[in-house]
Structures are given as structure tokens and as C-alpha cells.
Amino acid sequence: MADPHAFEKLRGLLFSISYRILGSVSEAEDAVQETWLRYEAADVEPESLRSWLATVVTRISIDVLRSARARREAYVGPWFPEPLLTDELAEEPAVLEGDPVRAAELADSVSMAALLLLERLSPLERAVFVMHEVFGFSYADVATAVGRSEAACRQLGTRARRHMAEGRTRFEADRRKREELADRFFAALAGGEVDALRSLLAADVHAVNDSGGVAGGTGGTFGALQAARILVATIPTLLAAGASLQRREVNGQPGAVILDPEDRVLGTWSLEILDGQVVGIRSVTSPEKLAHLGPVGDLDAMRRRWQEARRAAARSDDD
């Protein structure tokens, strides 16, 4: 008979596995729910519930990922995973308790940069890497999950590690330093302080937005001054129209959620910080990728509101 309490204790782990394989919060939540239904219907008590459930959610996630590949190839503009607010994420307590190094490794593995690297892997490579390298499952468990021999899984794991190492992005390891720099970044951004922002940005900062071709631009790689000017032309405009910045941890990195005056989500930002500078800014404004965070606002309407307010003020001055 299924044990709901035992399942709930492992729900965070199951979601974490599925999200890293899929890069989608909504699809990962569906995969976890489907895993519960299969557990509830099972007529055999697993010897290790943790391994059994991890196997089921991995198989479901692989199938979903295979069907999602075509949609992602046809995506308009840069594709990012659905942003995850990791200050709310319930990873498996046994993995994290009393182990700050392990906690940092898990945070890095769920970063936008790491998830984009995982996109380069085949579904099987991705599943093997997540199960073995991220969550420490044995190759015997991994082999059962993906339906391959242990020897084949070791080869898949070796290829996956090589691909991940080749493109790995380094982050500032000191969490306190990251948060302090992020606080300064968002304060300068909200205040429209170009020079202060410029001093915090790397010379070739990578600032990219996933808009889904709907709301906002795409960004690119810019010099620090140009990036600072673009940023100041963007966020303070929204704040002047009544939006607000809520500091959050997004995909394991310092970040923020942008809300309209009715607390509807307009977008998320996550910062990649290294050696005392912001080296990457990844934002998501695609409405369909924000729905899991709450009601979604209209970014273009906010901009129009600001423009109309400026025109009204100009007419008032003329009068």
C-alpha cells in the first residue's frame, strides 16, 4: 500500500531530479504527480522507496524530454529553462543537512548556465548525469532507471561529464559576497545609476533575455558601459510606472522577480557573479514561462503606461 507520508518526504528530491532533466517547473510537477499515481497503483512494496521513485520519475522525465525537443528547436529567440525560485526549493534534507559544500554544488547544478549545458546532452546522458553526478545514485540504480547496462551508463556518464566540463561556467563560491554584490547591483539598477552599474559589470557582460518572442528583447554580449545604459533604460522605466523588484534566489543564483502594481509577475532575473563582477544576466519575460510563479502581468502595457505618463507630464509642462 502506498505511503503518502513517505512519498511527501521524497517529493523535493523527485522534483529536483525531474526539473534538472526537463528544465520546466510545470512539466516536473506533472512528472512527480504521475510518479505518485504509479506508486499508488503498484502492487509490490519497493525494497528501496527512494531508488524506486527516482527510477519512475526519471523514466517519465526522459519520455517528456524526448517529446519536447522539437518544440524547443522551433522556439523564438533564446531558450531558457522556466525560472525556479530556489529559496523555496525543498531539496532532499538528507543531501543538504550539515554539508554546505554539497548545498553549493546543488545550487550550481540548477543554475541557468548548467541547465543550458544539460540541453546539449542526449536525454539518456542528461538523466545519467543528473542521477549519478548530481544526486549520487549508484550506476546500478541508474541502469535500472534508463534501461541500459551499468557499463553503458558509465560510458554515458563519462561523455556527459566531459561535455559539462568543457562548457562549465564558474561562479563566485562565497555566498555572502554574491549576495552583497547583487544587493549593490539591484540598488544601482533601481536608482538608474549608470556609473555605479558599470563598475559592477564585467567588461564583456552577457545579458540575455528569453521573451518567447512575446515580451521584451533578446539581449546579447555588451561592453560594461553599453550594458549599464541598456539596463538603466529598462528597469527604472518599469519602476516609474509602478512596478517593483523583489529580491529572490533564482536557479541557485542571486536574482529578483519583477512585479507590476497588482503584484503580477513581469519577469525574473538571475545574476552570474565571479571575481567581484557580474559576468552574466539572464532574464525571462516569456509569459508562458512565468505562469507557475503566479498571475502574469503585461510587460508591454507597463511600458505604455510609463510612456503615456511622460507624454501627459510633457503636455502639462507646456500648458
Side-chain angles (χ1 to χ4, degrees), residues 2 6 44 52 69-70 76 80 89 92 114 121 131 140 142 148 151 165-166 168 180 221 227 249-250 254 269 285:
V44 177
W52 190 89
R69 281 296 173 95
V76 177
F80 287 165
L89 182 61
E92 187 181 22
L121 307 182
M131 286 195 72
V142 175
R148 296 291 188 274
E166 287 171 354
R168 184 181 179 189
E180 287 178 353
T221 300
E249 181 182 276
V250 181
W269 286 41
T285 56

Side-chain angles (χ1 to χ4, degrees), residues 84-91 110 175 179 246-257 293:
L84 181 66
L85 302 183
T86 43
D87 46 14
E88 294 180 343
L89 182 61
E91 301 274 21
V110 81
R175 185 185 185 90
E179 290 299 327
Q246 183 184 87
R247 284 278 281 109
R248 299 296 298 269
E249 181 182 276
V250 181
N251 287 85
Q253 306 300 319
V257 176
L293 299 176

Side-chain angles (χ1 to χ4, degrees), residues 3 11 16 26 59 69 76 108-109 113 116 171 173 184 194 206 229-231 242 245 253 283 301 308:
D3 183 343
R11 180 181 288 274
S16 296
S26 53
R59 288 176 177 174
R69 281 296 173 95
V76 177
D108 282 356
S109 73
L116 289 171
F171 299 124
R184 290 161 55 200
V194 173
H206 194 56
R229 287 172 173 167
I230 293 171
L231 294 172
L245 272 174
Q253 306 300 319
S283 54
E308 289 167 2

Side-chain angles (χ1 to χ4, degrees), residues 3 54 81 117 126 134 142 144 147 170 203 209 213 252 261 270 275 280-281 292 299:
D3 183 343
L117 283 177
R126 188 165 182 166
V134 178
V142 175
T144 300
R170 293 192 302 124
N209 179 52
S270 62
D275 297 332
I281 304 167
H292 63 282
L299 183 63

